Amino acid sequence: MSVINDSTLYPRFLLTGFPGLETRYGLISIPIFLVYATSIAGNITILFIIRTESSLHQPMYYFLSMLALTDLGLSTTTLPTMFSVFWFQAREIPFNACLVQMYFIHVFSIIESAVLLAMAFDRFVAIREPLRYAAILTNSVIVGIGFAIAGRALALVFPASFLLKRLQYRVINILSYPFCLHQDLIKTTVSSRWVSSIYGLMVVIFSMGLDSLLLLLSYILILGTVLSIASKAERIKALNTCISHICAVLTFYTPMIGLSMIRRYGQNASPIVHVLMANVYLLVPPLMNPIVYSVKTKQIRDRILRKLKKAKV
């Protein structure tokens, strides 16, 4: 097969849904649509409740707003190509569009990892220094953290897109998923990929790898602080404030680890398993985070119920 050599020409990329199940895409698209609809509605609800309730204008809920915005960004980034494949059988995606989608998928994933770390720091300060909590996490500090989180993600992923664009590809390239991921694009290149591969690995290490270690350290410090509290009731109360965040961390990192394990050790697994794990990795966190925080956070739950009662009246 011919190779793209001229920088004025661009290769064609074909997305992949669930191989062998093309005749059932209409049925498969129903739960996927429900997941997207629930994710978008849930995160918009979280943002609306926090925005309209002045009592929720606190550091914890500002970070929760960042998480909801990130999940909205991740959902809307993957939605167009997902439904172009499952609803219209339109598999082809332009090279530049694929790079843009890949860029934002990885940017939002890195942002989510960093926001979860910031939320762990928030819980640590709230438990360790409850009297100085508001003085430490001021609005300006939170804004600075937000800009630092976004700036790191944008800066880390940009060179990866640039490096991919300099590589050579076949005229037609078949991707493994209904969206573009860095590791998937690298597999299609016919030129030397070691620079892009090494850089991609470094991005993972200095973003999610570093964040996961700091998350673990944060919870070790939180646990040490909680165990130093004399009252059992106060220890339980302090730990309860972390349950929603722990669920969010597990929801984010468990599918990511599962996808990495399948990609590395599941060469003999069905392609459907690979696609399913990739979809779980990108679709489950935006779906589960608003559900977890609505159910486990009393302040959010009470205000949602209050809004629903007013709407009925």
Side-chain angles (χ1 to χ4, degrees), residues 215-253:
L215 268 167
L216 180 61
L217 176 61
S218 297
Y219 269 98
I220 291 174
L221 295 174
I222 287 172
L223 186 60
T225 303
V226 169
L227 292 176
S228 67
I229 299 174
S231 169
K232 181 180 178 180
E234 289 180 355
R235 289 201 296 269
I236 294 174
K237 182 179 178 181
L239 286 175
N240 279 338
T241 65
C242 300
I243 290 178
S244 297
H245 180 255
I246 292 172
C247 291
V249 170
L250 292 175
T251 301
F252 178 76
Y253 279 100

Side-chain angles (χ1 to χ4, degrees), residues 1-5 10-14 91 168-175 187-191:
M1 187 178 290
S2 61
V3 176
I4 295 290
N5 289 312
Y10 293 102
R12 297 170 58 196
F13 286 90
L14 300 179
R91 296 177 57 196
Q168 294 179 351
Y169 303 88
R170 295 182 177 88
V171 175
I172 299 177
N173 304 273
I174 299 177
L175 300 177
K187 284 164 49 179
T188 64
T189 183
V190 294
S191 56

